[in-house]
Amino acid sequence: MPATVKGGVELRKALRNFAPELGKETQKEIASVLKPVVKEARGFVTTSPLSNWAREGGKFPVFNASIVKRGIGYKTTPSKPNRRGFTALAQIRNRSAAGAIYETAGRRAPGTKPSSRPNFAQAMGPLTGSGKERGRLIYKAWENDKGNATKAVLKAIDNAGKTFNRMVGTR
Amino acid sequence: MANVVIDIAAEYTGNKAFKQAETATQKLEKSVAKLGKQLAGVFAASKLYAFGKQSVKAFAADEKAARSLALALANTGNAFASIEVEKFIGDLQRATGVLDDNLRPAFRTLLTATGDVKKSQDGLALALDIAAGTGKDLGAVSMALAKAYGGQTTALSRLGAGLSKATLASGDLDLITGELTKKFSGQALAAAEGYAGSMAKLAVASENAKEIIGKDLLDAMQRIAGQDGIGGATTAMEGFATQIGNVITGISVLAVKLKEIPGGNFLTDFLKAGAQFSGLGALSKLGSSSKARSAGTPAQSPGQRKAIDKANADALKLQKTKNTLSKIDNDNTTRKLTLTADQLALLELEKKFDVERVGLYAALNESTDAETKMRLLSLIAIKDQNEALAGMIKKATETGDAFGSLIEVIRASIRAMLDKIAADVSQLQALTSGGVNTPVDQQRSIIREKLNLAMPDISALQNRLSMNNASINTSSGGSPTYIINAQGIGDQQIAAVVQGAIQDLNRYGNSTTYAGAI
């Protein structure tokens, strides 16, 4: 469960409209925090987790290490609201199909049946993290980061808010 | 697409669906509030409105059914019986306590099946008896009877009328209706008696009252609407209703107060008298006369109505007689036309086998002389009593005469010219024989002078002959032969002229082929 903030989206809108330079600076600051996590996550990508997965053919996504690495990235602008109405101010993403499979294989919701092919997930190695936030690439890197990135992002946003308020002369 | 993400610093911004739901709820609340206000306003007048609506609806349904029945009558060629049928249904309604709303469709069903008013009336009476006896719906019974008229007795067997299979299988409608009549005769009238019947009659009266009020309501609305349309009518009606309501309230208050006074029962008498002499009475009379005017007939007494009915019946009878006479006349004309055509054909045939006529045509074909041909044509015209051909022959004769006169004039002028030339020549002979001593030059000059005098006449004659484009050969001595120089005229032109002439002959009724020729 990500840390929740209030007024973050409004602040980003205000920055974009009234202090674009400050907005860009904030984005750069957030990016600088997220980059090491992404770099670490990319480092977890192996040549091929399974011997046959790199072979072409069939409908199943082929594991290509470079594509999987390219799919791992970050986003420093607010996302669209999810089904529950939450908007993320920043995100770390694993967008390739094979990368997503490698990330989440073997993860199942509590109470659901175990996978019919458990060997597939077991061969890829253990999942790192807890609950829904368990994985082998970005979630592992995020877990290793121990929340430092979150703190840094929140601090960057908070600083930007303070600077903005100072600029406009309120508070 | 795979979407594995880690959200950092999420913020609740609200769901789009929630916003939509919120907006929708707000709208709904507003609508409900508005509807509530409207309902509260309408509820007070709902009873009155409901009655008015029912009345108008009843009238509209009644009128629709009546129109439908009238159309069915017209379509089956019984339009003249429309008044009679309406009267029959009205009487039946009063006698049996069955609404005309049910009677009309039943009658229409039977009329469509039988196409005969009398049969339909009998069928409806029977259907009423069966419906009353079996407890079935009149519509279902009439439909079963209509099908039976069409030869299908299955529906009739399902009515539970107790008809034997043998009777039904016979398909004899007289037998079937006879048995039904025997079993159910008088059921409808019996059902109309007693309490249930009285209630039914009351219901009929109530429905009729509704229809009458509905009609008057619609008429009144149209009258009030006038040029302002229905908007003006509603305003006027609301104002009028308020006034009437106020008056009613005032009367009730007054009545209560008067009852408290000893001997205050005079109010009833007062209201009765008031109804006669007050504005209300006048209004009632005005409404009654207006309705009568709009109906197109003045108020009638029973005697007058009977006389009018009789006059209508007489007029109907007269119209029927007229129709019959005109039909006979038309038939006679058709027969005459057929006879004339037959006579003409017979005459043509007679002509073909007339020996004398055939002989005349044979002679005409063989003759080469124009005069003979003309004579023969004249004889044929006289034989056929053919005025057109006679006229044509007369014209041709006149043309021939005129041409002969022209020839005579030309002959006379040539003769005069030749006489003059002969005189001049004899003068020249006398001059040359008698005058030996006359010098040669003098003789030559005299001859030249004579020739010069004669030349213009010769040239004039030549010109005249060339203008007529004809030369006259008089050398044969007998009848003259005319040679026509048709320079520049080809075969086609000649053929066209001949064809035109033949067509003209045909147009005048003078065929070039003789009678009997193929």
Side-chain angles (χ1 to χ4, degrees), chain A residues 3-5 7-9 83-85 87 89-92 94 139, chain B residues 1-15 18:
Chain A
T4 56
V5 293
V9 176
R83 281 178 295 178
R84 288 172 297 165
T87 299
L89 297 179
Q91 284 179 328
I92 293 171
N94 181 358
Y139 285 114
Chain B
M1 183 167 176
N3 191 21
V4 179
V5 293
I6 296 171
D7 291 334
I8 301 160
E11 180 181 355
Y12 181 75
T13 54
N15 200 324
F18 292 164

Side-chain angles (χ1 to χ4, degrees), chain A residues 118-156:
Chain A
N119 292 337
F120 176 76
Q122 283 168 6
M124 288 184 211
L127 293 161
T128 308
S130 60
K132 277 188 176 180
E133 295 175 342
R134 285 182 297 154
R136 296 184 181 89
L137 298 174
I138 60 171
Y139 285 114
K140 189 176 179 182
W142 185 252
E143 183 68 21
N144 293 344
D145 188 61
K146 297 185 186 301
N148 291 329
T150 307
K151 283 177 196 171
V153 168
L154 289 173
K155 194 179 175 185

